[in-house]
Amino acid sequence: MQRRQRLRRLGGYKWLIIVVIAVVLIGFDLLADNASIVNRGIVVGLAIDSGGDLIELAAQVILPRSGGSASGGNDFMIFTSSGETMQDAVEKLSVSMGVKASLSHCTLVVLGGDLLRTKGDTVLKHLIRSPYFADNTLLVAASGKAKEVLSAKVPINDVASYHMQRMMQGVQREAGVNACTIKDYFANYYYIGGANYMPVAVVENCEYTPVGPNKESTDGAQLLDLSRTLVLTREGYGFVLDYDASRGLSFVKGSLNDGTIIFVSDCSEERDVVILDSKCTLSVQSEDEVVAKVKVKVKRNDLPTAQDGMIVNALSERERERIRESVRGQILACFKEGQKQDIDIFHLGEHIYRKYGEEWRKNQNKLYIRNIKFDVKVELVVK
């Protein structure tokens, strides 16, 4: 009898607990800022510029269609706002859009050149600390205004932010494109030397003719070039690497599987090989000497030729050496440019510190890169 009474009491407590949990969850949902997807503006790309004392934002936004459409597409628009601080400008975006600005899907942030020279450190620290931006959000520097990059009329895809994301984080990782995420920037910032980098976006006009029936020629299309790289330090804006030096940086810092290497053939003609895979290991030889060991797999980019009835596509040893020297020269060009600016762009100090510890660090100053000897060894594999 007593056992049945205890079971009845326990059953009553169970339903009471369930009711309390349901009330808490419903109340939490009502209090939380859970706007429906129809009432949100999904920001996929954000441009940040300096407008005097103000920070100017331009957001590339997907506006979901509440009733759907015959084409099944979405609306893409650019909305702007400005504020004295990043937080102020972000909050005003929702007012400008008329719906809540959702930044959780923002894959790309473009930073204007003037902004990076004046307020770059403040804005970048906000992006790192903000709960709204993901760690894998890509950072890009604009050669001019960031808004112009985000508004570029890319012929392959109407959305410039998606197009640039594929260029930097796609399956194909091309030599010369040095992608940087918020997470990468944060990690590099606290490495010895504090050197950072991100691609520089340049908008170029081009002619484009769509393929297919009922397609009219379009002469207002634009291309986005990411072949140059901006180098920054903890003190702010550094310098811009040219095409060759940017490729050298990607050979050392990146894992590549796309792009070409140009060389002069035995016939004195300019030819190229396709990069299949490229990886680099930095080997510390002593407290002031580091060697970059690069392994590059390539295949010849032209048609095979017939020789004694056999189809061949071989490279001579002289041609192989020219390819190795091309890669080596680009890496050394990047290192020398950084060394000239007293910037450790390859984070060599970090690798030396990991091997020799505080004994090395306590005897160094900010100009340690001047005393480091750097060399490159390239292993070439031809498929």
Side-chain angles (χ1 to χ4, degrees), residues 121 124-125 128 180 184-198 230-239 253 341-351 360-361 365-369:
D121 188 60
L124 285 164
K125 285 181 178 177
I128 291 171
C180 177
D184 295 332
Y185 183 89
F186 179 76
N188 293 340
Y189 188 90
Y190 288 102
Y191 279 164
I192 293 175
N196 250 302
Y197 56 87
M198 63 182 70
L230 172 65
V231 179
L232 306 98
T233 66
R234 296 192 192 106
E235 286 72 36
Y237 195 97
F239 62 97
K253 302 295 287 187
Q341 303 282 345
D342 294 323
I343 296 176
D344 181 8
I345 192 170
F346 292 147
H347 302 122
L348 304 181
E350 185 71 20
H351 287 79
W360 173 81
R361 189 171 184 176
N365 55 35
K366 291 184 178 181
L367 304 179
Y368 68 87
I369 190 64

Side-chain angles (χ1 to χ4, degrees), residues 64-69:
R65 295 178 178 176
S66 57
S69 65

Side-chain angles (χ1 to χ4, degrees), residues 77-223:
M77 297 184 68
I78 298 288
F79 291 91
T80 61
S81 69
S82 61
E84 295 182 357
T85 64
M86 268 294 294
Q87 186 63 34
D88 184 30
V90 169
E91 290 174 355
K92 290 179 179 178
L93 260 183
S94 296
V95 178
S96 173
M97 293 161 56
V99 292
K100 180 175 176 57
S102 176
L103 296 167
S104 57
H105 296 280
C106 183
T107 60
L108 180 85
V109 175
V110 186
L111 305 163
D114 290 341
L115 176 96
L116 286 168
R117 290 181 176 89
T118 55
K119 307 182 182 77
D121 188 60
T122 301
V123 171
L124 285 164
K125 285 181 178 177
H126 174 87
L127 296 176
I128 291 171
R129 295 166 180 166
S130 173
Y132 303 116
F133 295 94
D135 289 344
N136 62 347
T137 301
L138 291 160
L139 300 175
V140 176
S143 59
K145 283 284 188 179
K147 183 181 177 182
E148 295 176 0
V149 173
L150 207 62
S151 305
K153 299 176 182 178
V154 184
I156 299 174
N157 191 312
D158 291 336
V159 188
S161 54
Y162 282 166
H163 180 63
M164 285 188 284
Q165 182 193 16
R166 284 197 295 272
M167 292 174 71
M168 292 181 283
Q169 280 187 334
V171 176
Q172 295 178 310
R173 300 177 299 278
E174 186 173 353
V177 179
N178 294 293
C180 177
T181 64
I182 290 177
K183 181 180 178 180
D184 295 332
Y185 183 89
F186 179 76
N188 293 340
Y189 188 90
Y190 288 102
Y191 279 164
I192 293 175
N196 250 302
Y197 56 87
M198 63 182 70
V200 176
V202 179
V203 180
E204 299 176 347
N205 295 324
C206 70
E207 292 186 1
Y208 172 68
T209 303
V211 178
N214 301 323
K215 298 290 185 179
E216 296 182 358
S217 177
T218 303
D219 57 3
Q222 295 173 310
L223 295 177

Side-chain angles (χ1 to χ4, degrees), residues 350-366:
E350 185 71 20
H351 287 79
I352 297 173
Y353 170 71
R354 291 174 185 177
K355 184 171 183 177
Y356 294 102
E358 289 297 334
E359 286 298 320
W360 173 81
R361 189 171 184 176
K362 69 182 182 182
N363 296 322
Q364 304 301 319
N365 55 35
K366 291 184 178 181

Side-chain angles (χ1 to χ4, degrees), residues 11 37 48 56 61 66 70 90 129 217 273 306 370:
I37 191 170
I48 311 176
E56 298 176 345
V61 177
S66 57
V90 169
R129 295 166 180 166
S217 177
V273 289
R370 295 182 180 182

Side-chain angles (χ1 to χ4, degrees), residues 280-294 348-356 360 371-377:
C280 175
T281 302
L282 292 174
S283 176
V284 178
Q285 306 295 306
S286 67
E287 292 188 359
D288 61 354
E289 184 178 358
V290 180
V291 175
K293 297 180 179 180
V294 184
L348 304 181
E350 185 71 20
H351 287 79
I352 297 173
Y353 170 71
R354 291 174 185 177
K355 184 171 183 177
Y356 294 102
W360 173 81
N371 302 318
I372 291 182
K373 301 173 185 176
F374 180 72
D375 199 6
V376 181
K377 294 182 179 179

